[in-house]
Amino acid sequence: KQEVTQIPAALSVPEGENLVLNCSFTDSAIYNLQWFRQDPGKGLTSLLLIQSSQREQTSGRLNASLDKSSGRSTLYIAASQPGDSATYLCAVRPDTGNQFYFGTGTSLTVIP
Amino acid sequence: NAGVMQNPRHLVRRRGQEARLRCSPMKGHSHVYWYRQLPEEGLKFMVYLQKENIIDESGMPKERFSAEFPKEGPSILRIQQVVRGDSAAYFCASSPPGQGQSPLHFGNGTRLTVT
């Protein structure tokens, strides 16, 4: 069974810093991996989707990388802003099966 | 283009009552997933449906829980005889056909409280 771990569980940084969030998964037979953000009391907003054949995806200040063989993905946030404060979740879709497996998230606080 | 719509946003039920949660997927999406999020826990898969078909219900409790996605209308997650342990946030996500290539889009969830 796929297990997804996110480290750290919580992170607090001053505004303007670059930061990296980590996601690891136990089974490298994945179809794709998706990063989300979740604001308190809200749903999940899709940030980036990386197919298993890709190494990275970029959107604005966000860059996600995927190393399938080692079971790792990172989300890099450049020049962090207070509006980036949220919980960041990664989800893995295996090669077989229909469900996405989620990590428990990293709670990010960007201090003005 | 409206996103995934879930209602109600908040639902309070007494133990033993029924809870009905609704999800309208994004326009053009025919795949619906239901997830449950308990406090301090990650999202747990419950069920995956396509129009008029349950594809995978491996995450659904065997009793009291059921889901449907009719030809017309929203997907419904139904919980009968609710218990306090059912209190959680329930999220619906949708994706278009050929869903492996496309990101999941989530609704804002229904927060169920059982008193």
Side-chain angles (χ1 to χ4, degrees), chain A residues 15-112:
Chain A
E15 182 177 2
E17 272 205 7
N18 304 324
L19 58 101
V20 175
L21 306 180
N22 297 293
C23 172
S24 61
F25 44 95
T26 53
D27 187 344
S28 61
I30 68 167
Y31 194 86
N32 58 39
L33 182 147
Q34 193 167 353
W35 282 94
F36 296 88
R37 70 174 277 168
Q38 184 176 24
D39 293 281
K42 297 288 180 65
L44 281 70
T45 301
S46 177
L47 297 173
L48 290 163
L49 171 70
I50 311 178
Q51 303 296 342
S52 62
S53 58
Q54 297 174 320
R55 297 285 292 183
E56 64 178 330
Q57 283 284 340
T58 298
S59 176
R61 293 183 294 108
L62 304 180
N63 175 279
S65 68
L66 174 64
D67 183 343
K68 197 172 111 166
S69 60
S70 67
R72 292 180 185 172
S73 176
T74 61
L75 180 66
Y76 174 83
I77 303 177
S80 58
Q81 302 171 358
D84 294 331
S85 298
T87 296
Y88 289 80
L89 297 161
C90 72
V92 167
R93 185 185 178 209
D95 272 342
T96 58
N98 300 295
Q99 63 174 289
F100 288 75
Y101 291 86
F102 281 82
T104 50
T106 294
S107 177
L108 173 65
T109 302
V110 180
I111 304 165

Side-chain angles (χ1 to χ4, degrees), chain B residues 39-50:
Chain B
E40 308 304 324
E41 293 187 23
L43 279 88
K44 302 297 183 189
F45 169 79
M46 299 182 74
V47 61
Y48 162 51
L49 310 103
Q50 295 177 15

Side-chain angles (χ1 to χ4, degrees), chain B residues 44-95:
Chain B
K44 302 297 183 189
F45 169 79
M46 299 182 74
V47 61
Y48 162 51
L49 310 103
Q50 295 177 15
K51 284 281 187 182
E52 299 186 276
N53 284 304
I54 298 174
I55 306 302
D56 183 350
E57 55 182 350
S58 58
M60 194 98 94
K62 292 287 185 286
E63 298 178 351
R64 302 188 297 108
F65 285 72
S66 62
E68 63 177 7
F69 190 14
K71 187 177 179 182
E72 301 291 338
S75 175
I76 306 287
L77 179 67
R78 182 181 177 207
I79 311 173
Q80 294 178 291
Q81 298 176 327
V82 295
V83 300
R84 288 221 171 110
D86 296 333
S87 296
Y90 291 83
F91 290 97
C92 168
S94 73
S95 65

